[in-house]
Amino acid sequence: MSLSPEKTDARPVPEGYVRLTIDGLEVDAPKGEILIRTCERLGIIVPRFCDHPLLDPAGACRQCLVEVEMGGRLMPKPQASCTMTVADGMVVKTQHTSPVADKAQQGVMEMLLINHPLDCPICDKGGECPLQNQAMSNGRTDSRFVDPKRTFPKPLPISTQVLLDRERCILCQRCTRFSEQIAGDPFIDLLERGADQQIGVAADKPFQSYFSGNTIQICPVGALTSAAYRFRARPFDLVSTPGVCEHCASGCEQRNDTRRGTVMRRLAGNDPEVNEEWTCDKGRFAFRYLTSKERIVRPMVRGADGRLAETSWTNGLRVAAEGLLAARSSGGIGVLPGGRLTVEDAYAYAKFARVAAHTNDIDFRARPHSGEELDFLAAHVVGTGPEILDYTRLEAAPAVLCVAFEPEEESPIVFLRLRKAARKHGQKVFHLGQWTTPAVRRTATSTGVASPAARDNLIRAVPGAEAAVLAELAETAPHVIEALTGGGVILVGERAAEVPGLYSAVAALAQRTGAAVGWVPRRAGDRGALEAGAVPTLLPGGRPVTDAAARAEIERAWGLAAGTIPATPGRDTDDILGAAAMGELAALVVGGVDPDDLADPAAARSALREAGFLVSIELHASAVTEVADVVLPVAPDAQRAGSYLNWEGRRREFGVALDASGVLPDCRVLDTLAVEMDVDLFTQTPAAAAGDLARLGRFAGTAPPGPAAQPARTRTPAYGQAVLATWRQLVDESSLAIDEPALAGTARPAQVRVNAATAERLGLTEGLLATVRTERGSITLPVAAADLPDGVVWLPANSAGSRVRVALGVGHGELVGVSAAGGAAGAADGNGDTA
Amino acid sequence: MFDFFKGFGVTFSTMFRKVVTEEYPEDFPPAAPRYHGRHQLNRHPDGLEKCVGCELCAWACPADAIYVEGGDNTEEERYSPGERYGAIYQINYLRCIGCGLCIEACPTRSLTMTNFYELADDNRQDLIYTKEQLLAPLLPGMEAPPHPMRLGEDEQDYYVLGPQLARASAAGEQVANDPVGEQVR
């Protein structure tokens, strides 16, 4: 007997579609669609565990069995709907209409539950568990299994962060498929066979992935848990608030789950246009800084005895305002907001600098920077948005070139998109860098982990010579130019500022190939601060300071007298600090700036010490608050609303997740401080600040010309020297990842990397210690081989035992001495001594 | 006139009935065997706490009288077998209605109810019982945590054979089972 009902729909089947019947309903589905998705679109939910829309089909759990009839013939057994593509004339009966499918599903569920412990009441997943839910909806009420269940010692640490309870696992392979397909670091895999089959890790290789937290989130049972959240709360304890990740410029949507006034965990939100369903481990696990003991909760003023003492807001603001007013008339005020601000806060800083401090001396860049960078940002970045370049366009591009940008370390979600594009449609991802990093290898078009063809996508450059390499690309690597022409994308990172001429070379290459340019800073606030005008050369909305009409427009909008805003560009971060040290600037207002992030930490620290009057607007006790005259505390992200602009220029709004009584956002603090200085910023709340900024609109005039800097000469290492290449790793000593030992345990090891020839020349042995030194200090770390150019040494910029700028005082592209540290006594502690 | 004698008749006849008045507090009559009195947090035979800080009692409580915060056991500092223990445990007897749902919810039989019923005080603070007040007293052979799991070679031994092993070790040391221990069992 045929299951086919009478054909009822006479419409022709559209091109590229097939017509099938599910539970008696006729439906047109695009060719190649998986049956379970077609059911979903009809509102028919077939139970499943292994199926995930972003992972390749596996058919591992067999829970989604349905009855299928093809060409009038019933298939002999129920079929897994998550692996079967739709076909014309197919007739499908799910558990709703077919007793056979229903019985098959119940049988599978009974099998899955044979070894699954009945510890739902004390399991973290209980309450949000697909197995629990579907056992209730599609399982039998009783089990016929009477023997003892299989047990394992629990838990198995997959890494310091991810713990595995193997007896709960139903072997759906979501985690292993995620690691292999999405992240590309398959350290977690199926071991053993038959009844002993289990998930595990290679004994000598820990599950060291920046994306391991996603496996916890997609685990359909409570088998994978995180050390940070395990047994801390249950889903029904938690209050969930949508949020946005503050750790990098990717702009991931997140979910903050809070309980009893603290954030218990953070999950990736589902935003298909940005982070899909993923987020990196730093974004997921680094949130304890919110409740750190180092948090400043009360304003502090330095008394006559030279000590900071807690005081009232009224007094703190009065002292700050008096000091700033005195400084304004006796030299001027420099403003360093830092790169972690929301757009609203950055706008408050920008307006504060112009309206209250009467200066353009404001620079958000708390990192090595250059004037060329400002020109580049003004010409190519400010005012752009997702309509020009976004994740979708990035994914669809035939070729992408990453310049001074290590996607996995500096913007992990961009990396996942690049990897997805390379894997799914053969996007060519080129990296202008020094060595075949894990990200370079995993964005190679071939999905193989270590294929020799992978090296094709690395354009090797000696540090400092990147600009010259880009300029000569047409001769040395014409295939890159060819690939970029016609819809290519160039992603340039903030580290380009460390290489003179690189931004100019990028702009030139973009012009030549017609490629879109994306600027991907490392910090979440950089892009927004640029747009909000926290820059010495730009006013809010990308208006050049030197443009009289633009200045007049802003003065009108802010209700200022004509000519209040200085017509000359202000100083940048280094110059502001230099001027403060020399006494040219009488006061500094400093936000979240860590002097150790700047090009010369020692000089920055001494400048802060010597600044006449220092107001620190900070979250935690820091190197700045140590020497500040007034410290004003501000609210962290969880206790405030606001928005970030991610690297696309997309506005990412978030609301208050935790009780925010008693803490104020930066914009409110600055507004009140300005009122004490007798001006009004109208940024009392983030909403007010956002409205004020939106009313200004964008600059309507022509953008200034781009940068035209010449590449610098590369340095040639002498005997015993090498050129330093360095960038930051995702999980390192960053200040927002404090108090997270489990996360820190998943950091990549800090190693000195050289190639074999250089190692031989410098007398280094792989695995033994090497010392990298300058006259300022040294760093001693184990040596690891990498395919760097000759005479180049690589160090992680801010990892444990390798804080390059602090210890060595130099950066990317400069010369360092390298030697084996075998005999050197006391040099093996791994910490750079700054003596 | 007849009603007058009828009224005194009731009084008179009652004088010969059995008295139901309890002479409390001079006399201290025991409650029914399954009376829902003050809670107790029980211990394993070696003195480790049974509570694993799972908070199911707090979830089961219809009066929201229980507050639990779990903590992590470490190898150096172990309060209960397994990964977690109840670091903070409070029962608010101003709220507790003695329904016993908490002890039904407890997955380790850590929380039980005793026959103790003198739960009155003259201030609110003292009626919030903390973990120290609720924990069962240490019996002979028990050791105050933190300490490692003492009974048996592995977890299987500890949970399945724990009481036997404890008795065996007590017998081995020629210590007679004391009446208090017998009563608790």
Side-chain angles (χ1 to χ4, degrees):
Chain A
M1 191 191 88
S2 166
L3 290 166
S4 311
E6 291 293 310
K7 285 266 180 200
T8 51
D9 199 346
R11 287 182 298 112
V13 182
E15 188 70 29
Y17 278 72
V18 293
R19 182 163 294 169
L20 68 158
T21 311
I22 299 175
D23 284 351
L25 301 165
E26 259 194 359
V27 58
D28 292 345
K31 271 181 190 161
E33 190 176 51
I34 293 167
L35 199 48
I36 203 165
R37 301 268 171 282
T38 318
C39 292
E40 261 170 31
R41 286 197 289 114
L42 283 178
I44 299 168
I45 300 302
V46 181
R48 86 288 304 267
F49 297 110
C50 69
D51 171 68
H52 191 283
L54 298 176
L55 300 176
D56 293 349
C61 71
R62 315 310 290 177
Q63 186 58 53
C64 60
L65 295 177
V66 293
E67 219 181 346
V68 179
E69 183 193 303
M70 281 286 282
R73 285 182 52 191
L74 194 63
M75 291 179 116
K77 286 179 181 174
Q79 299 294 310
S81 58
C82 73
T83 51
M84 179 165 268
T85 48
V86 290
D88 211 20
M90 194 183 239
V91 179
V92 179
K93 287 191 151 194
T94 70
Q95 74 276 14
H96 296 298
T97 51
S98 158
V100 175
D102 195 33
K103 189 176 176 219
Q105 288 179 8
Q106 291 186 6
V108 170
M109 181 67 77
E110 194 176 4
M111 290 284 282
L112 290 178
L113 291 176
I114 277 181
N115 276 317
H116 191 84
L118 291 177
D119 62 354
C120 301
I122 53 159
C123 173
D124 282 341
K125 202 79 173 182
E128 59 176 11
C129 175
L131 181 60
Q132 196 181 31
N133 294 345
Q134 294 180 93
M136 302 296 278
S137 64
N138 296 78
R140 294 203 179 98
T141 47
D142 297 303
S143 171
R144 291 171 286 175
F145 188 70
V146 289
D147 299 298
K149 293 188 180 228
R150 182 185 57 177
T151 56
F152 290 103
K154 55 191 293 171
L156 177 76
I158 299 280
S159 68
T160 53
Q161 185 65 267
V162 182
L163 305 171
L164 170 65
D165 292 303
R166 283 168 289 178
E167 72 283 357
R168 289 182 188 155
C169 176
I170 56 165
L171 298 172
C172 70
Q173 300 167 36
R174 272 189 181 186
C175 52
T176 60
R177 283 184 293 147
F178 172 85
S179 301
E180 189 190 325
Q181 295 164 14
I182 307 293
D185 34 23
F187 295 135
I188 180 170
D189 215 338
L190 282 175
L191 312 174
E192 309 293 344
R193 306 285 289 172
D196 291 329
Q197 196 168 47
Q198 54 180 274
I199 300 289
V201 276
D204 52 337
K205 275 189 184 170
F207 184 45
Q208 218 168 49
S209 166
Y210 287 154
F211 305 98
S212 61
N214 293 304
T215 61
I216 298 170
Q217 192 172 344
I218 60 173
C219 180
V221 295
L224 290 167
T225 50
S226 72
Y229 176 70
R230 189 175 166 85
F231 300 138
R232 297 296 192 282
R234 298 203 179 77
F236 32 83
D237 292 324
L238 302 168
V239 178
S240 300
T241 323
V244 172
C245 183
E246 72 279 31
H247 287 291
C248 82
S250 294
C252 293
E253 181 175 317
Q254 290 196 322
R255 198 178 101 191
N256 291 305
D257 284 352
T258 61
R259 181 187 191 200
R260 291 175 185 159
T262 53
V263 177
M264 300 306 291
R265 66 169 175 183
R266 300 210 299 194
L267 298 176
N270 182 8
D271 188 338
E273 295 198 340
V274 180
N275 57 323
E276 300 188 305
E277 281 180 44
W278 318 124
T279 191
C280 71
D281 282 3
K282 190 176 181 184
R284 185 183 298 267
F285 296 125
F287 55 78
R288 289 204 192 140
Y289 75 93
L290 295 167
T291 44
S292 155
K293 283 195 216 71
E294 302 287 301
R295 267 280 297 279
I296 304 167
V297 288
R298 306 262 304 142
M300 293 190 282
V301 168
R302 197 168 294 279
D305 58 350
R307 287 170 178 240
L308 277 181
E310 289 196 350
T311 183
S312 66
W313 272 103
T314 340
N315 188 48
L317 288 167
R318 187 186 53 78
V319 175
E322 278 171 9
L324 291 177
L325 281 175
R328 189 172 76 189
S329 49
S330 71
I333 305 169
V335 184
L336 297 174
R340 298 221 169 269
L341 298 174
T342 60
V343 183
E344 293 78 11
D345 289 343
Y347 174 66
Y349 270 102
K351 197 169 177 182
F352 180 85
R354 272 64 183 232
V355 177
H358 299 175
T359 180
N360 281 326
D361 292 341
I362 175 169
D363 195 350
F364 70 87
R365 295 172 300 168
R367 52 183 170 80
H369 54 268
S370 68
E372 183 194 0
E373 183 181 25
L374 278 184
D375 293 343
F376 176 82
L377 297 180
H380 299 288
V381 177
V382 76
T384 62
E387 68 280 357
I388 296 182
L389 177 63
D390 64 352
Y391 279 105
T392 314
R393 169 126 193 249
L394 177 69
E395 189 184 326
V400 174
L401 172 63
C402 299
V403 177
F405 174 57
E406 182 63 29
E408 195 186 8
E409 309 280 10
E410 294 173 304
S411 201
I413 298 305
V414 173
F415 165 75
L416 287 189
R417 276 303 172 102
L418 294 177
R419 181 172 157 77
K420 182 182 176 192
R423 201 176 153 264
K424 293 263 166 150
H425 70 86
Q427 181 182 68
K428 289 191 174 59
V429 185
F430 300 104
H431 300 261
L432 178 64
Q434 276 73 43
W435 57 287
T436 308
T437 59
V440 172
R441 205 174 57 226
R442 281 146 57 202
T443 49
T445 311
S446 60
T447 48
V449 176
S451 76
R455 297 195 175 187
D456 285 347
N457 65 340
L458 176 69
I459 305 159
R460 228 177 256 95
V462 174
E466 284 97 337
V469 169
L470 267 196
E472 291 157 11
L473 215 51
E475 292 84 57
T476 53
H479 66 285
V480 177
I481 302 275
E482 201 177 302
L484 285 175
T485 313
V489 172
I490 303 172
L491 294 179
V492 58
E494 62 177 35
R495 287 188 284 115
E498 295 181 63
V499 181
L502 188 49
Y503 275 119
S504 312
V506 166
L509 182 65
Q511 195 169 25
R512 177 171 181 178
T513 56
V517 178
W519 181 62
V520 192
R522 223 172 45 81
R523 294 199 174 107
D526 274 13
R527 190 68 179 72
L530 176 68
E531 218 66 46
V535 197
T537 55
L538 295 175
L539 296 168
R543 295 173 176 82
V545 161
T546 45
D547 186 316
R551 271 202 319 279
E553 197 183 345
I554 292 288
E555 280 162 354
R556 251 196 325 280
W558 284 350
L560 302 176
T564 315
I565 298 176
T568 49
R571 300 174 171 96
D572 66 11
T573 302
D574 285 347
D575 289 347
I576 288 173
L577 286 170
M582 303 290 287
E584 288 167 29
L585 282 176
L588 290 179
V589 177
V590 182
V593 177
D594 182 352
D596 294 347
D597 290 340
L598 299 170
D600 191 345
R605 276 171 185 267
S606 82
L608 289 169
R609 251 195 324 273
E610 277 155 39
F613 187 73
L614 179 57
V615 179
S616 173
I617 301 177
E618 254 290 12
L619 195 60
H620 293 119
S622 71
V624 181
T625 59
E626 257 171 47
V627 293
D629 295 290
V630 181
V631 180
L632 301 172
V634 286
D637 272 8
Q639 290 183 306
R640 51 156 304 146
S643 63
Y644 287 114
L645 288 188
N646 73 349
W647 70 270
E648 306 164 277
R650 189 192 297 265
R651 207 172 139 85
R652 309 293 286 157
E653 278 182 271
F654 60 93
V656 180
L658 288 178
D659 171 47
S661 50
V663 287
L664 303 176
D666 298 49
C667 56
R668 174 76 183 269
V669 172
L670 285 167
D671 179 75
T672 321
L673 183 57
V675 168
E676 289 281 330
M677 294 169 74
D678 204 22
V679 286
D680 220 324
L681 298 185
F682 302 105
T683 59
Q684 295 91 336
T685 63
D692 204 35
L693 176 60
R695 275 191 294 281
L696 292 178
R698 281 177 176 175
F699 181 48
T702 49
Q710 290 304 309
R713 276 192 319 118
T714 52
R715 297 178 171 85
T716 324
Y719 179 73
Q721 282 191 322
V723 188
L724 179 67
T726 181
W727 55 76
R728 284 167 184 249
Q729 295 185 322
L730 181 71
V731 178
D732 62 4
E733 301 283 285
S734 58
S735 49
L736 293 190
I738 52 170
D739 290 352
E740 300 285 354
L743 175 66
T746 64
R748 290 188 175 149
Q751 288 166 324
V752 178
R753 290 188 183 269
V754 286
N755 72 5
T758 315
E760 200 183 317
R761 185 168 63 79
L762 295 167
L764 309 180
T765 320
E766 194 176 346
L768 298 184
L769 294 175
T771 300
V772 180
R773 62 165 53 85
T774 60
E775 61 266 32
R776 193 169 296 182
S778 68
I779 287 174
T780 302
L781 288 173
V783 178
D787 54 347
L788 292 144
D790 280 339
V792 177
V793 61
W794 181 85
L795 282 175
N798 191 34
S799 293
S802 177
R803 306 197 64 185
V804 170
R805 291 272 178 189
V806 178
L808 304 181
V810 297
H812 191 79
E814 300 194 51
L815 290 179
V816 288
V818 187
S819 59
D829 59 345
N831 286 314
D833 53 322
T834 48
Chain B
M1 203 56 197
F2 179 73
D3 287 349
F4 177 83
F5 290 105
K6 195 179 166 188
F8 275 106
V10 171
T11 311
F12 190 73
S13 62
T14 307
M15 289 165 74
F16 300 98
R17 290 216 185 114
K18 188 170 176 268
V19 178
V20 294
T21 313
E22 303 271 13
E23 292 296 325
Y24 179 84
E26 289 80 18
D27 193 14
F28 200 96
R34 293 191 176 187
Y35 180 77
H36 284 186
R38 204 203 73 179
H39 297 80
Q40 172 168 286
L41 286 170
N42 295 311
R43 293 177 189 273
H44 284 285
D46 63 350
L48 286 180
E49 294 157 16
K50 282 189 172 176
C51 179
V52 293
C54 75
E55 305 183 33
L56 282 180
C57 46
W59 264 103
C61 183
D64 202 7
I66 307 183
Y67 177 87
V68 188
E69 254 180 50
D72 273 333
N73 283 315
T74 56
E75 284 309 316
E76 298 80 46
E77 203 174 344
R78 176 171 289 288
Y79 291 91
S80 71
E83 290 174 55
R84 301 272 287 171
Y85 73 101
I88 297 177
Y89 198 101
Q90 298 173 349
I91 298 182
N92 183 347
Y93 282 104
L94 290 160
R95 305 197 72 156
C96 177
I97 56 170
C99 66
L101 287 179
C102 47
I103 61 170
E104 278 185 45
C106 183
T108 60
R109 292 287 284 151
S110 167
L111 192 67
T112 54
M113 284 170 134
T114 62
N115 285 0
F116 182 81
Y117 52 74
E118 288 193 307
L119 293 166
D121 216 317
D122 56 4
N123 72 88
R124 288 164 181 271
Q125 191 58 49
D126 289 352
L127 277 164
I128 299 171
Y129 278 52
T130 57
K131 187 176 158 188
E132 294 70 38
Q133 294 164 288
L134 293 168
L135 265 176
L138 288 166
L139 301 177
M142 287 183 177
E143 181 188 345
H147 63 76
M149 293 159 72
R150 299 273 190 229
L151 304 168
E153 298 295 311
D154 53 16
E155 290 190 340
Q156 183 88 13
D157 278 5
Y158 189 89
Y159 290 118
V160 178
L161 305 172
Q164 283 176 37
L165 289 167
R167 272 196 293 276
S169 76
E173 289 165 21
Q174 302 294 318
V175 179
N177 275 341
D178 64 308
V180 185
E182 204 60 55
Q183 212 173 37
V184 167
R185 270 191 286 274

